Amino acid sequence: MIHHFKRSEWINYAIIEIIRIAVGSLLPGYVHPDEFFQGGQDLFFGCPSLIPWEFEQKNALRSIFPPTLLTWIPLTLYSSVANEGEGTITNKLSGLEILVLPRIFCGILSLIMVHAPLYFLTRTSSTVGPTSTMWLLSSSWPTWVFLNRPFTNGLETMFLAVLLQVVTITLTSPTRDQIRMFALGVLFALAVFTRFTFIFFGSPIFVASILRTSSTLSSLIKNAGIYLVGFMIAALTIVAVDTTYYGGEYNEWNLYVAP
């Protein structure tokens, strides 16, 4: 009886998530112009291509990482699989595909990076099926709108949820896994280059995880070093990609750092 109830609960939850991703991706209008300016539809697939002022070389205020992840990668993969027509990707894809597919991708990504961590963070030993927090989040209007659009705000939320889960696992684990510590540093760098405001959300969690996992001064230095290595590798990789995109010169140390 309990197993049947649990299965039916998950089925109902899956139906809500499918409706959220399908309907939320087709909702008319837009929340804010940044949905398109930050999302990459105009930047990569505009007809003609429109470069928002934040991504102009003379300004270079934003990293190319978020729009690449949220728009360019899913549309490029879709175009490769669909193999529609000839010419550039922009010519192969319709305006509806360029508009809706990144939204569907963001909806699926939020299911993996927000809803899945939320289950592990809110469940108890007596939990049967999805938690009440998951039901609330899945049926809320902000989730339907913001987490279904290629917003950097939405991606920042996803990174925060994953950070909370990894930190929780790290703090509750009997062993201190250096790979998890390294992953936290990488995750923090990706989030900061998505939106610099993540520093204010993630830093307290990040510092607390270092202090809670360090019993001595030497272990504190060691753990902080592992975090720092992960952060620097991810950060330098993004800086290299941004510098290439904005046309910087490595030999002249003309690097672009745009979190």
Side-chain angles (χ1 to χ4, degrees):
M1 182 66 178
I2 294 178
H3 290 292
H4 174 73
F5 176 76
K6 182 177 181 180
R7 185 167 57 250
S8 64
E9 287 285 289
W10 281 112
I11 292 174
N12 292 334
Y13 179 77
I15 292 174
I16 289 182
E17 283 297 330
I18 292 174
I19 294 174
R20 173 179 76 86
I21 294 174
V23 176
S25 300
L26 296 173
L27 289 174
Y30 59 90
V31 183
H32 193 279
D34 281 348
E35 175 184 340
F36 301 107
F37 296 153
Q38 296 177 6
Q41 283 109 324
D42 285 330
L43 179 63
F44 295 128
F45 303 100
C47 293
S49 179
L50 171 65
I51 301 179
W53 68 275
E54 298 155 302
F55 291 98
E56 291 179 349
Q57 184 182 22
K58 63 181 180 181
N59 298 318
L61 295 178
R62 287 191 178 273
S63 170
I64 201 64
F65 162 66
T68 299
L69 174 63
L70 298 177
T71 300
W72 188 84
I73 289 179
L75 285 177
T76 300
L77 291 176
Y78 171 80
S79 177
S80 300
V81 173
N83 195 24
E84 298 180 354
E86 297 180 355
T88 64
I89 296 178
T90 304
N91 295 331
K92 291 180 181 180
L93 301 178
S94 67
L96 182 62
E97 288 173 318
I98 294 173
L99 175 68
V100 173
L101 289 176
R103 295 181 177 183
I104 295 176
F105 175 75
C106 288
I108 297 173
L109 198 63
S110 69
L111 184 62
I112 298 171
M113 295 181 65
V114 176
H115 295 257
L118 192 64
Y119 171 71
F120 290 102
L121 291 170
T122 58
R123 67 175 180 172
T124 63
S125 57
S126 60
T127 297
V128 177
T131 64
S132 58
T133 307
M134 295 173 65
W135 286 112
L136 179 63
L137 186 64
S138 296
S139 58
S140 68
W141 184 250
T143 300
W144 280 51
V145 176
F146 283 95
L147 293 186
N148 267 44
R149 306 292 179 98
F151 263 128
T152 53
N153 307 67
L155 185 58
E156 181 183 36
T157 302
M158 298 178 201
F159 281 130
L160 181 61
V162 175
L163 178 69
L164 287 170
Q165 182 185 2
V166 177
V167 167
T168 301
I169 295 174
T170 302
L171 295 180
T172 57
S173 175
T175 59
R176 300 306 177 207
D177 190 343
Q178 294 182 354
I179 295 179
R180 279 197 297 266
M181 296 179 183
F182 178 85
L184 282 173
V186 173
L187 183 63
F188 196 83
L190 296 178
V192 168
F193 277 86
T194 297
R195 281 182 64 85
F196 76 92
T197 52
F198 189 84
I199 295 175
F200 305 104
F201 299 120
S203 292
I205 304 171
F206 198 71
V207 173
S209 67
I210 295 177
L211 296 177
R212 289 285 299 275
T213 55
S214 306
S215 56
T216 63
L217 179 60
S218 60
S219 63
L220 175 64
I221 296 174
K222 178 182 177 181
N223 292 339
I226 296 174
Y227 286 125
L228 182 61
V229 169
F231 179 88
M232 291 303 298
I233 290 177
L236 290 175
T237 300
I238 295 176
V239 168
V241 172
D242 287 343
T243 300
T244 301
Y245 173 78
Y246 286 115
E249 297 293 338
Y250 295 100
N251 56 350
E252 297 179 3
W253 288 96
N254 183 22
L255 305 179
Y256 285 83
V257 182

